[in-house]
């Protein structure tokens, strides 16, 4: 977990600027194995529900992502927490895929995982009662240096 909102913003800013201008022009039908797609999903919790929203993501989205990673469908996933209810968004899910196709390259297999998952409600609440997805961005990793 990042130590401050500034650290989180730095990570997201780098991810959004690195390859972002090319992300929309990449042919997703054929993967480029030299550049991995990273999908950033920004969420905003309902005031006072950030901790429950984070728990919801961990018990639902990350349970499915864990299975997908075990099956070799994705490279990594993590949750970034802004640490407060302030701002247009206050948490971000980052998923890294093995090539530039991103989710499109695993969609069929992941849908089987999603269908087999039984949603876990947190204190009786689902995503709609805890917050909402407010944006997403797919970028491509770029080697440092």
């Amino acid at each position: 977990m990042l130590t401050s909102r500034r650290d989180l913003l730095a990570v997201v800013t780098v991810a959004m600027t690195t390859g972002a201008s090319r992300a929309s022009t990449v042919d997703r039908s054929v993967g480029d194995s030299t550049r991995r797609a990273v999908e950033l999903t920004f969420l905003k919790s309902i005031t006072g529900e950030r901790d429950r929203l984070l728990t919801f993501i961990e018990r639902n989205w990350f349970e499915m992502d864990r299975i997908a990673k075990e099956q070799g469908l994705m490279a990594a996933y993590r949750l970034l927490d802004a640490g407060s209810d302030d701002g247009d968004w206050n948490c971000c899910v980052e998923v890294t895929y093995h090539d530039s196709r991103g989710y499109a390259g695993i969609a069929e297999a992941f849908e089987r995982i999603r269908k087999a998952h039984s949603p876990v409600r947190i204190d009786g609440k689902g995503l709609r009662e805890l917050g909402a997805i407010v944006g997403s961005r797919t970028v491509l990793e770029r080697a440092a240096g």
Side-chain angles (χ1 to χ4, degrees):
M1 185 131 344
L2 299 174
T3 58
S4 71
R5 184 174 182 91
R6 185 173 9 135
D7 292 342
L8 173 63
L9 291 174
V11 168
V12 172
T13 299
V14 168
M16 290 182 75
T17 58
T18 303
S21 63
R22 292 194 56 206
S24 62
T25 62
V26 173
D27 179 359
R28 299 255 187 243
S29 65
V30 178
D32 175 355
S33 63
T34 64
R35 299 190 69 193
R36 300 188 311 178
V38 179
E39 184 173 314
L40 304 169
T41 303
F42 300 92
L43 297 102
K44 173 69 175 173
S45 65
I46 293 172
T47 301
E49 298 289 354
R50 193 181 90 256
D51 287 339
R52 284 184 189 89
L53 177 60
L54 298 171
T55 300
F56 177 87
I57 292 166
E58 291 167 345
R59 292 190 185 162
N60 288 281
W61 295 12
F62 284 1
E63 179 57 24
M64 292 181 285
D65 289 352
R66 179 189 63 75
I67 294 166
K69 186 176 177 191
E70 285 176 359
Q71 292 179 6
L73 300 175
M74 61 179 57
Y77 56 91
R78 70 179 177 159
L79 180 57
L80 307 173
D81 176 9
S84 77
D85 287 347
D86 299 333
D88 295 336
W89 56 271
N90 56 2
C91 63
C92 178
V93 173
E94 177 185 313
V95 177
T96 304
Y97 298 93
H98 292 292
D99 62 34
S100 64
R101 293 176 299 163
Y103 182 77
I106 70 161
E108 187 177 317
F110 195 84
E111 284 307 309
R112 287 190 295 273
I113 295 169
R114 185 185 322 276
K115 285 180 182 178
H117 177 73
S118 296
V120 176
R121 297 180 66 80
I122 307 303
D123 296 330
K125 297 179 180 183
L127 179 60
R128 289 185 183 151
E129 295 87 18
L130 299 172
I133 297 171
V134 295
S136 66
R137 182 85 177 219
T138 301
V139 297
L140 299 176
E141 282 186 332
R142 187 176 180 116

